[in-house]
């Protein structure tokens, strides 16, 4: 701590923490088969892992120097006895995880922490410790509580707990976790009774939508697509990307073979484990729709371009068609068959039902608002929420809602008010899981042959193939499976709470306007909204409109408008500023400013509610510099003193929902204190950036070195992000910071400096004996991208920031060098095959779009030369490459050699360019280049490096 906060009682979070052990537990919790029960209550976004949340809570209220073993035991990490150093024990178990013979629990010798609460003895000792420090049990507040991990864990440790959330959907989750579970307790018998009544009633109503003419063949779902007509021949074009239905190993392969009939309609034949003879050259992986959205007619071959396809959707000129049926046989096995006439008739009957039922014909006609995540469906003519669902999906969901509504009065009459409310809320949450798997946004999983959830990718995207799920079965997305998981999860939530647990206090309002008195709170633990990564309100509206129908009358104060509150939501949403953006400020700049102002207001409100000396710990999982810039300014403007930062591994690095997006693979705990004497950061004496820069750079380097030496499991990107914390402490202590012209320097300047400093540390650590500074800027940038991100695709902002650090404007080099391209807003690095002209073609026939001509005798960039050499080797073989290298004097070209050595060290071994780089580095080409390293250094573990046989190359 700095001089001005010496009078604050130091907390555990302001000292060393057992971060590696906690990170290991976070990763263990990431197994989708064994997640905490609160995750199954209702779909929500970006929930924090239990171990990281527990650490943030406990370390924020315990005194500094609290024993690590005692802390880990309190967190339920490690065996309860028999281990003297729990952190070392956990790390050793992680190191031998791959050699285990049983499951993870038996290997580690203790259950996952989320399944265990502290014992009564542990809780009493913990309370005694914190009461001595705070004078009483400290109250923990989470002002943006979301899915409720932080407040629920606080409740499990017997701390007075308050949780606030703007959005009604997580507010209902919070009520289940913090009010019903501790107060009402278990409800298995009641929930099973009423859910059975609802299911029986709805099943009768939807049975005609899913008929079966054969006994023992219950329809589980209709695999569905949209169909447009060919503008040339008039035949139907099913908008299917691939005709594969299930391709998973260990199960029967299911594909569909379409046939255009004389009347232009399409007949679909379902094939099970088809032989080569049956397929007869037919490729089921190649559907009528290309990746770019163009649709090729199955009959005449004419292509309807994606823009015209979109126009057809916008004008409503399309229909629905079932191309495969999944059913459950009498033994409970899932099977597939071709669609039959009875299925077509059932669909037509469903459409008639929707249109003739007066209530259903106008149901859910609330308009879908314009937004960042709603653009795609709106561009395809989906302007009302009912249109997110096919007719059969809409009718099915509606009948379950109606069956639920029929039970409301009976439930209210049978039980007291709180118990009835708990039953109704918990049963209403089943709708979320059903909606997630049964909409036009829910993709068909062609690997496993099952429906997938709609919001796994945190966006709205109309799917080419989706399922009309029969919610009366027991399969994925059905009512029974949803309720069963819901009831089991609720019972676990109740059972995990210690006996005698008090309820938490739940509020639903703007976090910048909380109903608490000044100084009422001791500890704020907050996982703030994720800048622009997740548009919570926009995404949640698909659930909001349904829950409004289920429980809107029960909670009129939550559901007081047609859609969720987007005006007070703390996200950087550019679409909200479309109408007011102009030459002075872009919509992105306005969105960023709004987020900064909003987070500043939220932090200021937290500051107001905290007592003097109180603590706020921010759990931040983001890697965009813009997000860190705005977060830091918000903290500083609110008056907090940044006292500590800690990085914890919190996510599986390959998780699918955020890959290439804005979220990092680690959580940074950034802690601020409310000083006893109020500070006025706006009127403080400015510090010159030139006086701060060196300290900033050194803080970042020291943090990176410490992390690399500690063995904490972080990606290289996260090493950079983790250095942001110490960097920001230096910056915040010096704030306000100005340059030589007295212009204010924003935190992003310090972050850019930190990124440069840590990148150099990574170069020194992982590129042994190399100095990439001697390379040209573009080559250096390319190598650093591979080094830091270890993937060809990563966030645009990450690549841009790396470029800024070495003087490369990546937008300027994109077209001229073709070193990268945009892929869904991210950067995708190009290999040699996307940059080099084909040497086997005549010069006049070669693509002028590719910037590297392998016939050139010199190249403007070292990367161009190495990529050209790879191409020559691939196309001409070793002998021709030897002559090519000699002709261009690459045997004496240091930059060529350094680039080749660097690529060998940064490219993944399964990348084609790495294999070609390896081939250049050994054999006769190695003799020419005279490289000063052993190629075996870069071989896969246990393998010897050998050159690819010449016969594998085409001349």
């Amino acid at each position: 701590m700095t001089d001005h906060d010496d009078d604050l009682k130091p907390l555990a979070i302001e000292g060393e923490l057992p971060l590696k052990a906690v990170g290991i537990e976070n990763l263990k919790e990431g197994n989708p088969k064994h997640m905490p029960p609160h995750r199954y209550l209702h779909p929500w976004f970006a929930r924090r892992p239990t171990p990281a949340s527990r650490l943030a809570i406990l370390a924020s209220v315990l005194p500094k120097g609290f024993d690590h073993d005692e802390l880990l035991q309190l967190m339920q990490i490690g065996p309860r006895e028999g281990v003297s150093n729990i952190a070392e024990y956990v790390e050793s178990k992680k190191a031998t995880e791959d050699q285990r013979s049983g499951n993870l629990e038996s290997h580690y010798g203790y259950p996952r922490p989320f399944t265990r609460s502290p014992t009564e003895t542990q809780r009493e000792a913990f309370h005694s410790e914190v009461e001595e420090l705070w004078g009483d049990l400290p109250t923990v507040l989470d002002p943006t509580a979301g899915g409720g991990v932080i407040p629920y864990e606080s409740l499990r440790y017997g701390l007075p707990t308050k949780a606030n959330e703007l959005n009604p959907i997580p507010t209902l989750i919070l009520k289940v976790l913090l009010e019903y579970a501790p107060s009402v307790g278990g409800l298995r018998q009641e929930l099973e009774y009423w859910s059975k009544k609802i299911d029986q009633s709805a099943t009768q109503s939807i049975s005609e939508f899913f008929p079966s003419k054969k006994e023992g063949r219950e329809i589980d779902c209709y695999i569905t697509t949209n169909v447009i007509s060919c503008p040339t021949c008039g035949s139907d074009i099913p908008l299917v990307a691939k005709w594969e239905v299930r391709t998973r190993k260990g199960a029967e392969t299911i594909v569909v073979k379409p046939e255009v009939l004389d009347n232009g309609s399409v007949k679909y034949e379902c094939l099970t484990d088809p032989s080569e003879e049956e397929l007869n050259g037919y490729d089921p992986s190649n559907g009528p729709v290309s990746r770019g959205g163009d649709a090729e007619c199955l009959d005449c071959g004419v292509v309807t371009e994606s823009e015209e396809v979109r126009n057809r959707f916008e004008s409503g000129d399309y229909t629905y068609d079932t191309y495969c049926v999944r059913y459950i046989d009498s033994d409970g096995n899932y099977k597939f068959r071709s669609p039959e006439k009875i299925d077509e008739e059932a669909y037509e009957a469903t459409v008639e039902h929707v249109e003739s039922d007066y209530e259903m014909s106008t149901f859910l006609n609330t308009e879908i608002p314009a937004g960042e995540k709603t653009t795609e469906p709106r561009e395809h003519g989906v302007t009302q929420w009912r249109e997110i669902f096919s007719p059969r999906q809409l009718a099915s969901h509606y009948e379950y809602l109606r069956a639920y509504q029929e039970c409301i009065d009976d439930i209210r009459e049978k039980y007291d008010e709180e118990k009835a409310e708990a039953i109704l809320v918990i049963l209403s949450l089943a709708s979320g899981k059903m909606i997630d798997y049964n909409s036009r946004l829910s993709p068909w999983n062609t690997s496993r042959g099952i429906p997938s959830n709609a919001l796994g990718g945190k966006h709205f995207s109309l799917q080419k193939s989706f399922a009309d799920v029969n919610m009366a079965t027991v399969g994925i997305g059905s009512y029974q499976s949803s309720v069963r998981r819901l009831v089991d999860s609720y019972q676990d939530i109740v059972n995990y709470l210690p006996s005698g647990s008090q309820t938490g206090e739940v509020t639903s309002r703007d976090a910048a306007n909380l109903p608490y008195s000044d100084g009422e709170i001791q500890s704020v633990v907050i996982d703030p909204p994720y800048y622009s990564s997740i548009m919570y309100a926009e995404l949640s509206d698909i659930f909001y409109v349904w829950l409004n129908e289920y429980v809107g009358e029960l909670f009129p104060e939550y559901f007081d408008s047609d859609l969720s509150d987007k005006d007070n939501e703390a996200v950087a949403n550019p679409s909200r500023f479309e109408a007011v953006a102009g030459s002075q400020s872009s919509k992105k700049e306005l969105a960023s400013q709004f987020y900064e102002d909003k987070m500043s207001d939220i932090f200021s409100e937290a500051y107001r509610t905290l007592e003097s000396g109180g603590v706020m710990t921010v759990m931040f999982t983001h890697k965009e510099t813009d997000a860190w810039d705005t977060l830091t300014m918000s903290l500083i403007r609110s008056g907090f003193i940044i006292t500590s930062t800690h990085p914890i591994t919190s996510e599986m690095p390959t998780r699918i929902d955020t890959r290439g997006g804005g979220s990092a693979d680690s959580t940074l705990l950034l802690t601020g204190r409310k000083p006893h004497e109020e500070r006025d950061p706006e009127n403080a004496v400015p510090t010159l950036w030139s006086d701060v820069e060196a300290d900033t750079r050194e803080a970042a380097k020291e943090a990176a070195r410490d992390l690399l030496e500690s063995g904490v499991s972080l990606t290289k990107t996260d090493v950079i992000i983790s250095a942001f914390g110490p960097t920001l402490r230096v910056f915040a202590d010096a704030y306000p910071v100005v340059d030589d012209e007295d212009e204010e320097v924003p935190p992003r300047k310090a972050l850019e400096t930190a990124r440069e400093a840590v990148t150099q540390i990574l170069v020194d650590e992982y590129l042994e004996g190399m100095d990439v500074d001697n390379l040209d800027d573009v080559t250096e940038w390319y190598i650093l991208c591979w080094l830091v991100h270890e993937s060809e695709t990563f966030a645009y902002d990450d690549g841009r920031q790396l470029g800024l650090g070495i003087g490369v404007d990546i937008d300027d080099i994109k077209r001229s060098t073709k070193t990268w391209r945009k892929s869904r807003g991210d950067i995708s690095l190009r290999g040699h095959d996307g940059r080099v002209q084909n040497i086997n073609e005549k010069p006049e026939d070669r693509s002028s779009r590719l910037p590297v001509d392998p016939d050139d005798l010199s190249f403007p960039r070292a990367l161009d030369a190495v990529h050209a050499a790879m191409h020559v080797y691939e196309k001409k073989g070793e002998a021709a490459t030897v002559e090519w290298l000699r002709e261009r004097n690459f045997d004496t070209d240091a930059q060529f050699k350094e680039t080749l050595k660097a690529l060998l060290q940064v490219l993944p071994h399964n990348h084609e360019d790495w294999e070609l780089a390896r081939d250049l580095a050994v054999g006769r080409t190695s003799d020419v280049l005279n490289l000063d390293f052993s190629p075996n250094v870069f071989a896969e573990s246990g393998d010897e490096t050998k050159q690819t046989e010449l016969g594998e190359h085409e001349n």
Side-chain angles (χ1 to χ4, degrees):
M1 295 190 197
T2 52
D3 293 341
H4 49 250
D5 48 309
D6 282 343
D7 55 343
L8 296 173
K9 294 178 182 177
L11 301 172
I13 203 161
E14 291 163 334
E16 290 187 12
L17 295 173
L19 300 176
K20 190 171 183 181
V22 177
I24 290 168
E25 287 301 329
N26 287 338
L27 296 180
K28 284 167 60 183
E29 190 172 294
N31 187 333
K33 294 181 180 178
H34 304 284
M35 286 187 173
H38 56 77
R39 287 178 176 257
Y40 301 112
L41 290 178
H42 192 279
W44 196 245
F45 315 102
R47 291 177 169 106
R48 294 295 91 224
T50 302
S53 302
R54 285 184 176 178
L55 181 64
I57 296 162
L58 299 179
S60 295
V61 296
L62 284 165
K64 187 175 182 179
F66 192 75
D67 183 76
H68 283 191
D69 267 10
E70 288 185 48
L71 178 58
L72 290 171
Q73 285 178 338
L74 187 59
M75 294 175 64
Q76 309 307 302
I77 295 176
R80 286 207 159 131
E81 53 187 38
V83 175
S84 59
N85 188 319
I86 295 175
E88 284 187 4
Y89 172 87
V90 173
E91 291 167 30
S92 70
K93 290 296 181 182
K94 177 63 178 175
T96 57
E97 202 175 273
D98 292 341
Q99 292 128 46
R100 73 183 191 274
S101 56
N103 60 23
L104 278 178
E105 184 172 322
S106 63
H107 175 71
Y108 277 84
Y110 59 92
R112 287 178 173 82
F114 74 78
T115 65
R116 299 199 298 181
S117 293
T119 64
E120 186 175 351
T121 301
Q122 286 178 320
R123 205 162 52 253
E124 287 175 356
F126 166 63
H127 287 182
S128 176
E129 192 83 43
V130 296
E131 282 174 341
E132 184 177 342
L133 180 66
W134 295 93
D136 202 347
L137 284 181
T139 298
V140 175
L141 164 67
D142 183 350
T144 59
V149 185
I150 293 168
Y152 179 66
E153 291 307 315
S154 173
L155 212 64
R156 292 175 78 173
Y157 283 85
L159 296 172
T161 303
K162 300 179 187 293
N164 177 74
E165 173 57 48
L166 177 67
N167 194 297
I169 294 169
T171 299
L172 293 179
I173 298 173
L174 290 168
K175 289 183 75 67
V176 172
L177 291 169
L178 308 182
E179 293 182 359
Y180 306 146
S183 179
V184 179
L187 290 169
R188 181 178 292 280
Q189 185 176 350
E190 293 86 346
L191 292 170
E192 288 178 347
Y193 173 81
W194 290 105
S195 65
K196 188 174 181 181
K197 286 199 70 170
I198 292 168
D199 193 39
Q200 288 173 340
S201 175
T203 297
Q204 276 190 318
S205 300
I206 70 170
S207 59
E208 62 179 305
F209 308 156
F210 302 91
S212 180
K213 63 183 180 183
K214 292 184 180 179
E215 195 70 31
R217 280 197 170 195
E218 183 181 27
I219 304 298
D220 179 68
C221 61
Y222 290 113
I223 307 169
T224 306
T225 189
N226 298 116
V227 174
I228 63 171
S229 60
C230 175
T232 302
C233 70
S235 296
D236 287 349
I237 307 177
L239 301 180
V240 177
K242 56 178 70 173
W243 293 110
E244 295 165 334
V245 174
R246 185 175 66 190
T247 58
R248 178 168 55 91
K249 290 181 180 178
E252 293 175 324
T253 296
I254 309 295
V255 302
V256 168
K257 191 172 184 179
E259 178 189 353
V260 181
L261 303 179
D262 291 341
N263 64 0
S265 64
V266 179
K267 177 184 176 183
Y268 306 99
E269 182 184 6
C270 178
L271 304 176
T272 301
D273 278 338
S275 64
E276 291 295 326
E277 286 183 350
E278 281 182 280
L279 292 175
N280 192 25
Y282 168 67
D283 181 7
S285 68
N286 185 19
V289 178
S290 70
R291 193 171 182 180
D294 296 341
E296 181 180 352
C297 180
L298 295 170
D299 193 23
C300 69
V302 170
V303 173
T304 303
E305 294 187 355
S306 59
E307 187 175 351
E308 174 57 25
V309 173
R310 189 165 57 248
N311 290 340
R312 296 287 191 91
F313 274 94
E314 199 167 7
S315 62
D317 187 14
Y318 66 93
T319 58
Y320 297 94
D321 211 356
T322 296
Y323 64 91
C324 189
V325 181
R326 186 169 96 148
Y327 66 92
I328 305 173
D329 68 15
S330 55
D331 295 324
N333 298 313
Y334 290 105
K335 300 289 185 180
F336 297 84
R337 65 166 173 81
S338 305
E340 300 171 354
K341 187 171 180 59
I342 190 173
D343 305 313
E344 185 179 339
E345 291 172 345
Y347 171 73
E348 291 169 354
T350 306
V351 174
E352 172 65 24
H353 179 79
V354 171
E355 293 175 350
S356 62
D357 185 301
Y358 174 74
E359 289 185 7
M360 205 184 307
S361 65
T362 58
F363 179 71
L364 228 62
N365 59 3
T366 307
E367 181 156 346
I368 298 175
E372 287 293 292
K373 301 302 180 183
T374 58
T375 301
E376 202 260 9
R378 283 172 59 88
E379 285 180 346
H380 285 76
V382 178
T383 59
Q384 296 181 350
W385 285 107
R386 63 184 285 117
E387 295 166 346
I388 289 287
F389 307 92
S390 71
R392 188 153 32 205
Q393 291 170 341
L394 181 68
S396 299
H397 286 302
Y398 181 81
E399 293 302 338
Y400 271 92
L401 168 64
R402 189 143 60 183
Y404 168 92
Q405 291 172 333
E406 288 171 356
C407 295
I408 292 176
D409 289 342
D410 291 342
I411 292 172
R412 281 177 157 170
E413 286 178 13
K414 188 172 178 65
Y415 309 102
D416 65 64
E417 185 177 354
E418 186 180 25
K419 191 169 185 178
E421 182 182 290
I423 293 169
L424 289 169
V425 168
I426 294 168
L427 289 176
S428 76
L429 295 179
S431 66
K433 186 64 72 176
M434 296 189 294
I435 291 162
D436 203 19
Y437 283 92
N438 196 21
S439 77
R440 293 173 64 191
L441 306 176
S442 310
W444 181 258
N445 185 320
T446 57
S447 171
R448 299 179 62 195
I450 58 173
S452 294
N453 59 314
L455 297 185
K458 312 291 188 294
H459 55 73
F460 287 150
S461 181
L462 293 173
Q463 298 300 316
K464 297 177 179 69
S465 299
F466 54 89
D468 282 358
V469 174
N470 182 1
M471 299 193 299
T473 69
V474 295
I476 292 175
S478 71
Y479 184 76
Q480 290 180 47
S481 67
S482 300
V483 167
R484 183 173 60 251
R485 175 57 66 86
L486 188 62
V487 174
D488 289 345
S489 298
Y490 177 71
Q491 290 304 124
D492 283 342
I493 288 164
V494 172
N495 295 336
Y496 288 167
L497 286 172
S499 176
S501 290
Q502 299 298 305
T503 59
E505 181 180 337
V506 178
T507 56
S508 181
R509 58 196 298 167
D510 184 352
N513 182 24
L514 297 171
Y516 312 124
S517 305
D518 293 358
E520 180 181 345
I521 309 296
Q522 285 72 50
S523 176
V524 173
V525 182
I526 177 174
D527 175 27
Y530 284 8
Y531 190 61
S532 61
S533 282
I534 304 173
M535 300 299 169
Y536 303 85
E538 285 188 11
L539 293 170
S540 68
D541 276 344
I542 190 174
F543 303 118
Y544 180 100
V545 292
W546 283 97
L547 281 172
N548 192 6
E549 299 290 337
Y550 274 90
V551 295
E553 291 186 6
L554 195 61
F555 299 105
E557 69 277 24
Y558 298 164
F559 297 90
D560 59 353
S561 58
D562 289 339
L563 296 170
S564 59
D565 183 352
K566 297 167 188 66
D567 292 339
N568 292 304
E569 183 185 33
V571 295
N573 188 343
S575 66
R576 289 191 54 229
F577 302 93
E578 192 89 44
V580 294
S583 57
Q584 298 298 315
S585 297
S586 68
K587 60 182 182 179
K588 183 178 180 181
E589 290 170 332
L590 291 171
S592 180
Q593 187 59 53
F594 172 84
Y595 178 80
E596 181 179 320
D597 292 343
K598 192 67 183 180
M599 287 310 305
S600 182
D601 291 343
I602 291 172
F603 288 155
S604 294
E605 183 69 346
Y607 187 94
R608 179 190 67 79
T609 64
L610 278 173
E611 68 175 32
S612 177
V615 59
M616 179 171 74
T617 293
V618 183
M619 301 177 69
F620 203 59
T621 306
H622 213 289
K623 59 189 180 185
E624 281 194 24
T625 306
D626 286 347
W628 279 98
D629 189 57
T630 52
L631 176 82
T632 307
M633 283 306 301
S634 301
L635 273 167
I636 292 171
R637 286 165 55 184
S638 303
F640 283 98
I641 304 166
I642 298 176
T643 58
S644 70
T645 57
H646 298 284
I648 316 174
T649 301
S650 63
E651 307 282 356
M652 295 300 291
T654 56
R655 70 198 183 288
I656 208 156
D657 63 322
T658 51
R659 188 166 192 168
S663 294
D665 295 321
S666 64
T667 288
L668 193 77
L669 302 183
L670 193 152
T671 299
R673 300 291 294 273
K674 180 176 181 176
H676 293 302
E677 292 185 13
E678 296 286 330
R679 299 197 306 164
D680 183 6
E682 300 299 329
N683 293 315
V685 177
T687 309
L688 280 172
W689 168 244
S690 55
D691 293 337
V692 180
E693 185 175 10
D695 291 342
T696 299
R697 194 176 299 277
E698 190 50 42
K701 284 185 174 183
E702 185 178 345
R705 289 192 196 100
D706 289 346
L707 283 170
L708 292 172
E709 291 170 5
S710 72
V712 173
S713 178
L714 296 174
T715 64
K716 296 186 184 78
T717 303
D718 284 342
V719 172
I720 293 175
I721 302 304
S722 299
F724 283 0
T727 302
L728 295 175
R729 283 189 64 186
V730 172
F731 185 87
D733 283 342
Y735 185 84
V737 181
V738 296
D739 59 22
D740 293 339
E741 297 179 0
D742 208 32
E743 294 289 329
E744 184 172 352
V745 173
R748 68 169 49 252
K749 183 68 175 175
L751 299 177
E752 289 166 5
T753 300
R755 190 185 291 269
E756 291 173 36
V758 178
T759 299
Q760 186 57 53
I761 294 290
L762 294 174
V763 169
D764 295 342
E765 179 75 15
Y766 295 103
L767 296 183
E768 186 178 350
M770 293 194 59
D771 187 357
V772 293
D773 286 343
N774 291 333
L775 301 176
D776 60 271
D777 290 347
V778 172
T779 300
E780 181 183 358
W781 175 79
Y782 186 88
I783 289 168
L784 292 180
C785 285
W786 273 112
L787 170 69
V788 171
H789 302 295
E790 303 171 278
S791 170
E792 68 183 14
T793 303
F794 47 89
Y796 170 83
D797 186 66
D798 283 352
R800 185 176 69 86
Q801 291 295 331
L802 268 179
L804 290 175
I806 57 176
V808 173
D809 186 325
I810 64 171
D811 292 315
D812 283 351
I813 67 168
K814 180 173 179 285
R815 183 180 294 237
S816 60
T817 70
K818 291 287 196 300
T819 46
W820 68 279
R821 62 183 177 85
K822 272 208 170 180
S823 174
R824 299 194 175 198
D826 293 331
I827 283 176
S828 183
L829 295 174
R830 293 178 183 268
H832 84 281
D833 59 342
R835 305 188 63 238
V836 186
Q837 298 169 13
N838 190 345
I839 197 169
N840 287 334
E841 293 179 348
K842 295 178 181 179
E844 60 268 23
D845 294 335
R846 296 177 189 174
S847 172
S848 59
R849 294 184 301 103
L850 302 180
V852 181
D853 183 348
D855 286 333
D856 285 347
L857 295 177
S858 62
F859 299 90
R861 290 166 287 273
L863 180 66
D864 298 352
V866 173
H867 275 171
M870 290 176 177
H871 174 81
V872 173
Y873 197 103
E874 181 181 46
K875 296 297 184 183
K876 296 289 189 181
E878 183 184 42
T881 307
V882 168
E883 293 306 313
W884 188 90
L885 291 168
R886 284 179 174 150
E887 188 177 18
R888 288 157 182 78
N889 297 319
F890 285 136
D891 55 334
T892 58
D893 191 318
Q895 287 204 359
F896 182 94
K897 296 180 184 182
E898 288 290 287
T899 302
L900 181 60
K901 286 166 60 178
L903 290 175
L904 276 165
Q905 294 176 77
V906 300
L907 289 173
H909 288 202
N910 60 358
H911 195 286
E912 180 188 13
D913 281 10
W914 182 86
E915 294 176 358
L916 288 165
R918 174 202 60 194
D919 289 348
L920 288 169
V922 296
R924 291 174 59 198
T925 47
S926 174
D927 294 339
V928 174
L929 294 173
N930 192 27
L931 299 174
D932 58 354
F933 64 91
S934 168
N936 284 323
V937 172
F938 309 109
E940 294 283 13
S941 178
D943 292 342
E944 291 185 8
T945 299
K946 62 179 182 179
Q947 211 164 12
T948 306
E949 294 296 326
L950 280 177
E952 296 180 23
H953 298 290
E954 294 182 6
N955 290 312

